[in-house]
Amino acid sequence: MTITRQDGDAVRVLQGLEDSRSSVRLRTALAVGTTPDPRFVDKLVERCAIEPEFLVRDMLTWALTRYPVSMTLPELLREVRSERAQARSQALHTLSKIGDRQAWPAITRTLLSDADDEVARSAWRAAVVLVPEGEESALAGVLATQLGRGERETRLSLSRALVALGEAIVPALRSATAAPDPRMRAHALATQRLLRDPDAGFEFAIEEAKRVVALGGSGQEGR
């Protein structure tokens, strides 16, 4: 059997994406994105699910954004339903970078409340980018159910996602400030503060909110 030059190039790319050296994988992903070839879409998506290095994953995502949406979207939508958390997370991240609203129906409540924090964070970011005009309030209501969740980075990601939706989040945050869970109340108050004053900083906002909650307030007094 004769191996063509194109076949040889494909073999080198596939080997490069699986090389044990992250620098080689990074260069290969850069090359595949610089000169897109439809043969490599499946491999790029597949590699996203297992690539251990953040910088390489980011380059894989960049490479995928260089391909036509008609090629990448079906593969990524399949990945958001994967049992592998990293596959879901990276596919959502890539969808947020592509920004095509055809992907919106795939951003389900299940993903927005995924048990894996990284998946949920990726889903929140993607949702804010992809949400159709007029559906921001409904999205804010779903995101508000996650207030108080996780550690600092997770809570910060959620606050940023909510604030990016603008005034549409006000009713959902107001309801959350009366929630039984003190962590949810504090997080809602901190997010309200960030919406009013984006320069306040998350640490300052959350500590201020904790003091309010500890004193038994809702943050709505005098308003």
Side-chain angles (χ1 to χ4, degrees), residues 68-113:
V69 173
S70 59
M71 291 182 184
T72 57
L73 194 58
E75 300 294 328
L76 293 169
L77 293 180
R78 186 188 68 242
E79 287 293 281
V80 300
R81 298 188 296 272
S82 171
E83 293 185 2
R84 186 189 292 268
Q86 183 174 309
R88 299 196 302 278
S89 175
Q90 198 65 24
L92 288 162
H93 174 65
T94 305
L95 288 171
S96 75
K97 294 299 182 183
I98 292 172
D100 192 299
R101 285 182 169 172
Q102 293 181 81
W104 170 247
I107 311 300
T108 62
R109 182 183 285 264
T110 299
L111 284 172
L112 293 170
S113 58

Side-chain angles (χ1 to χ4, degrees), residues 127-192:
V128 168
V129 171
L130 301 174
V131 61
E133 187 175 352
E135 296 192 33
E136 295 88 351
S137 293
L139 174 59
V142 176
L143 293 181
T145 67
Q146 303 301 297
L147 287 164
R149 169 180 174 165
E151 300 304 319
R152 179 189 179 279
E153 287 304 314
T154 298
R155 286 179 284 144
L156 176 57
S157 289
L158 181 56
S159 289
R160 285 174 171 167
L162 283 162
V163 169
L165 293 174
E167 293 299 315
I169 69 173
V170 171
L173 290 182
R174 187 179 297 118
S175 296
T177 61
D181 182 354
R183 281 175 59 91
M184 177 177 278
R185 293 203 306 276
H187 194 181
L189 288 169
T191 306
Q192 280 184 331

